[in-house]
């Protein structure tokens, strides 16, 4: 673009000198050189089987130069080079929320060398060193200063801390954490320095995994071009036909050039990519990482939706229903034993058990040792307060516990309930019965989907029918496929009509079906889990309302992209007809085409989101979900 401006300025200067005669040769030669350069790209597209829109631009520049409309040819060149600059600006504008996260990725951590002091109050006495975040190892003691970002997933060592986790969960209020609780990377520390113990490497930490997903989303543009390509050949043919007829009827070759200079295809080249990137940026503000423009296009036409149950329709965080103690134990003892051991478990139910004990005001027992037995449960050697004795608490599946406590007896469960069994040394202590809760927003989300054109909904779950059917019936989902293995889910989803179909799920066993669906929607998935890697959309915020919001954004984005494209086409065709009758000189037509380009870009930028939507979020004090403010 700058080279074109320099050539134009040089030509204008030369017009005021005796060398004005060489100006047409300079301008025309430069325009033809640019046309030749663009023609190389055009030939490459044709060889790859794609009839690109460069044909019109190259033909317009060449025709204008050959009929003596050198300045008009230069304006078309300026349009092409300036259009690229405008497209870069528009892309940067529409990717603002996406790139904000990438800029804020933690690069360094403060590692404590001397572990003599661990409390926040003694932080000034600690011997520290700043290291790259990649150099942090599991178990390292870290100092997180006030307002700093937690560099890797860690466990809080200090007694108490307050964190801003809005960039991870969408929760705008500060979150209080106590010693021993896990804190995800990306959370912003409050006003007091704290110490933390690294529990994961940087590459496996939540924030860095989200960054990788966003990079993948920002770099995914291949399918976006297809929307414009649908109109490329018809628009090119129409333009050449109008230009050819104008030349044939008038007998003036200049008419051919005058028509083509207003037919240049920037509205098609720019409008679709800008609109889709804007839609992806708008989705990112609501915690939705969309991995490509093609996904937004599929969302706009979605007609069916399938749901997993646990962690999708339900919260995935069961709440305490009741405790069933055995003789010699009471409710509090069973729950305290279970929670003291479950602190050392990574199972999804462990967090619910610990949270239930804390809500009951129970003090957990210290552990001398602990071991998690994969797929079975956890065993912990607990210290009895005020005594020298220790007991071994085991929490998990009944088949495993029966090896150590032969007196274990199963409890009777109602549909939707699950039991966690607890043993103390070689005695069966009792069972903790929990129930997974249907998400409060599930019914509203399903109603919104129906309003957006999703005509068929079904539940596809590994749970038994007795548990799944009542939940589905309560939400108005009439089609239930229960006790499904991952292969069964893929088979069922493959046969569902009408399409496109959205599959909503989370967890490892949902990865195959998320990949097989037209649109895989990872519900509440964070980081590089199998579900989020295989899904087309990663919902970072744990709410089902994000699903209809994603469909709405898809519809808005495609509508705006098509509006911008058609607006550009209609204005260009009108200008072509005016030029065909000789009422639009080539130079003026070329400048008018610049106006058309600007209109198309501004129209496409509406996909970034309504101003009222952004203003309302700002008024509520909500920050950009992918930008940190400390």
């Amino acid at each position: 673009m700058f080279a074109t401006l320099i050539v134009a300025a040089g030509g204008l200067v030369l017009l005021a000198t005796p060398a004005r005669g060489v100006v047409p040769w300079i301008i025309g030669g430069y325009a033809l050189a640019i046309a030749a350069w663009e023609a190389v790209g055009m030939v490459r597209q044709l060889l790859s089987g794609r009839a690109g829109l460069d044909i019109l631009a190259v033909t317009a520049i060449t025709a204008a130069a050959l009929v003596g409309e050198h300045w008009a040819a230069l304006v078309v060149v300026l349009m092409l080079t300036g259009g690229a600059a405008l497209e870069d600006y528009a892309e940067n504008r529409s990717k603002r929320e996406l790139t904000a996260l990438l800029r804020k990725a933690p690069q360094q951590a403060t590692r404590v060398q001397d572990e003599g002091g661990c409390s926040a109050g003694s932080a000034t006495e600690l011997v520290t060193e700043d290291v790259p975040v990649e150099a942090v190892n599991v178990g390292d003691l870290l100092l997180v200063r006030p307002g700093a970002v937690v560099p890797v997933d860690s466990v809080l060592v200090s007694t108490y801390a307050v964190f801003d986790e809005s960039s991870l969960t969408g929760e705008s209020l500060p979150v209080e954490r106590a010693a021993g609780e896990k804190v995800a990377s990306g959370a912003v520390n409050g006003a007091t320095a704290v110490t933390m113990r690294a529990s994961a490497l940087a590459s496996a930490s939540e924030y860095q995994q989200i960054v990788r997903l966003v990079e993948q989303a920002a770099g995914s543009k291949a399918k976006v071009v297809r929307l414009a390509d649908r109109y490329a050949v018809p628009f090119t043919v129409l333009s050449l036909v109008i230009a050819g007829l104008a030349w044939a009827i008038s007998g003036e070759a200049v008419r051919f050039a005058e028509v083509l200079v207003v037919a240049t295809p920037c509205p098609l080249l720019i409008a679709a990519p800008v609109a889709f990137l804007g839609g992806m940026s708008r989705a990112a503000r609501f915690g939705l990482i969309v991995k490509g423009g093609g996904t937004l296009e599929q969302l706009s036409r979605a007609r069916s939706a399938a749901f997993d149950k646990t962690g999708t329709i339900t919260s995935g965080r069961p709440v305490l229903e009741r405790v069933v103690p055995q003789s010699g134990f009471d409710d509090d003892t069973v729950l305290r034993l279970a929670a003291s051991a479950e602190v050392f478990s990574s199972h999804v139910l462990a967090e619910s058990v610990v949270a239930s004990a804390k809500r009951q005001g129970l003090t957990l027992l210290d552990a001398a040792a602990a071991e998690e037995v994969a797929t079975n449960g956890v065993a912990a050697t607990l210290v009895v307060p005020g005594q020298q004795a220790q007991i071994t608490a085991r929490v998990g599946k009944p088949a495993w516990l029966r090896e150590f406590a032969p007196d274990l007896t199963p409890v009777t469960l109602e549909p939707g309930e699950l039991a966690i069994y607890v043993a103390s040394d070689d005695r069966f202590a009792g069972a903790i019965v929990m129930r997974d809760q249907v998400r409060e927003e599930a019914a509203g989300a399903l109603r919104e989907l129906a309003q957006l054109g999703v005509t068929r909904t079904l539940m596809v779950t590994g749970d038994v029918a007795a548990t799944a059917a009542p939940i589905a019936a309560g939400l108005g989902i009439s089609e239930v496929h229960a006790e499904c293995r991952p292969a069964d889910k893929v088979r069922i989803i493959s046969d569902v009509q009408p399409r496109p179909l959205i599959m909503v799920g989370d967890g490892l066993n949902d990865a195959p079906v998320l990949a097989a669906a037209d649109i895989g929607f990872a519900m509440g998935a964070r980081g590089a889990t199998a579900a989020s890697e295989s899904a087309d959309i990663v919902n970072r915020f744990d709410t089902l309302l994000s699903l209809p919001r994603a469909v709405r954004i898809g519809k808005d984005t495609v509508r705006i992209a098509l509006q911008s494209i058609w607006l550009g086409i209609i204005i260009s065709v009108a200008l072509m007809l005016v030029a065909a009758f000789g009422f639009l000189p080539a130079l003026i037509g070329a400048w008018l085409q610049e106006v058309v380009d600007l209109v198309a870009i501004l129209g496409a930028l509406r996909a970034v989101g309504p101003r009222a939507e952004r203003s309302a979020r700002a008024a509520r004090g909500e920050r950009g979900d992918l930008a940190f403010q400390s």
Side-chain angles (χ1 to χ4, degrees), residues 164-243:
D164 174 4
E165 298 183 355
S166 60
S167 62
L168 300 171
T169 65
E171 173 58 59
S172 58
L173 296 177
V175 177
E176 299 178 355
R177 298 293 181 192
E181 290 193 71
K182 295 180 180 178
V183 181
S185 62
V188 179
N189 187 25
T192 305
V194 295
T195 51
M196 312 185 76
R197 184 80 62 184
S199 61
L201 299 175
S203 58
S205 292
E206 183 171 318
Y207 189 83
Q208 285 82 356
Q209 292 167 359
I210 293 171
V211 166
R212 285 199 295 273
L213 289 173
V214 174
E215 287 176 332
Q216 180 181 353
S220 178
K221 293 169 55 179
K223 294 183 180 180
V224 174
V225 181
R226 294 178 184 174
L227 188 65
D229 282 352
R230 296 174 193 170
Y231 303 91
V233 174
F235 185 72
T236 299
V237 172
L238 176 63
S239 302
L240 292 174
V241 167
I242 294 175

